[in-house]
């Protein structure tokens, strides 16, 4: 009889990195780790609030503008009422731009947090942001 081949366990390369002191603080939920994580969460929350304010001002003031200036309801651009053009067509590129900007800034915040966590890895000066990370901000 044919014996099936022996099973072989496939694994990745060994991971012998010791956790960084700062990540240990975050993982262990120490007061210092709470400060590190709290700063990231506060920055992400502030970014979200600013984005929502921009959304509210950008789209929320359009109906108010039409209410305060009644003559705008009669304005037509390319055969479309101005309100339809603003809220039905131009709102979508605005939302995409807002989402893109939010995502880039949120990733920048996370990159800065990772740099802060990795700063304790090697002795010497703290590495600054890479040119690509500087460009994103």
């Amino acid at each position: 009889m044919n014996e099936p081949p022996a099973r072989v366990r496939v694994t990745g390369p060994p991971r012998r990195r010791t956790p960084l002191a700062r990540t240990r603080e975050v993982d262990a939920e120490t007061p210092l780790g709470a400060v590190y994580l709290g700063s990231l969460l506060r920055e992400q929350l502030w970014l979200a609030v600013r984005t929502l304010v921009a959304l509210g001002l950008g789209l929320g003031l359009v109906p108010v503008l039409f209410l305060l200036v009644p003559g705008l309801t009669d304005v037509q651009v390319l055969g479309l009422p101005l309100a339809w053009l603003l809220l039905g067509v131009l709102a979508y590129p605005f939302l995409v731009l807002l989402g893109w900007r939010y995502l880039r800034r949120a990733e920048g915040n996370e990159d800065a947090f990772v740099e802060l966590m990795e700063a304790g890895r090697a002795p010497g000066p703290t590495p600054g942001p890479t040119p690509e990370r500087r460009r994103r901000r």
Side-chain angles (χ1 to χ4, degrees):
M1 295 193 149
N2 289 346
E3 283 290 318
R7 296 182 87 176
V8 176
R9 184 175 188 180
V10 178
T11 62
R15 298 180 189 174
R16 297 284 181 216
R17 277 187 23 197
T18 58
L20 305 174
R22 291 181 179 161
T23 58
R24 270 188 252 131
E25 298 288 339
V26 172
D27 292 338
E29 298 179 7
T30 64
L32 180 59
V35 169
Y36 285 136
L37 195 55
S39 69
L40 173 65
L41 293 176
R42 269 190 311 279
E43 188 59 36
Q44 296 292 52
L45 178 63
W46 179 234
L47 175 62
V49 167
R50 289 189 318 239
T51 302
L52 286 174
V53 166
L55 175 66
L57 290 176
L59 293 181
L61 288 181
V62 173
V64 173
L65 179 67
F66 278 92
L67 182 67
L68 295 177
V69 185
L72 287 178
T73 57
D74 298 330
V75 175
Q76 293 208 355
V77 178
L78 301 172
L80 291 173
L82 184 60
W84 283 27
L85 185 65
L86 290 177
L87 293 175
V89 177
L90 296 180
Y92 294 103
F94 175 68
L95 290 172
V96 168
L97 179 68
L98 213 57
W100 175 80
R101 185 175 178 270
Y102 174 81
L103 181 65
R104 297 289 293 209
R105 299 247 174 158
E107 287 175 345
N109 289 343
E110 291 171 1
D111 289 344
F113 183 74
V114 168
E115 286 177 9
L116 176 66
M117 292 294 109
E118 290 177 346
R121 178 177 290 177
T126 304
T130 63
E132 182 219 324
R133 287 185 177 147
R134 246 184 261 123
R135 237 188 348 260
R136 282 211 233 164
R137 294 182 187 169

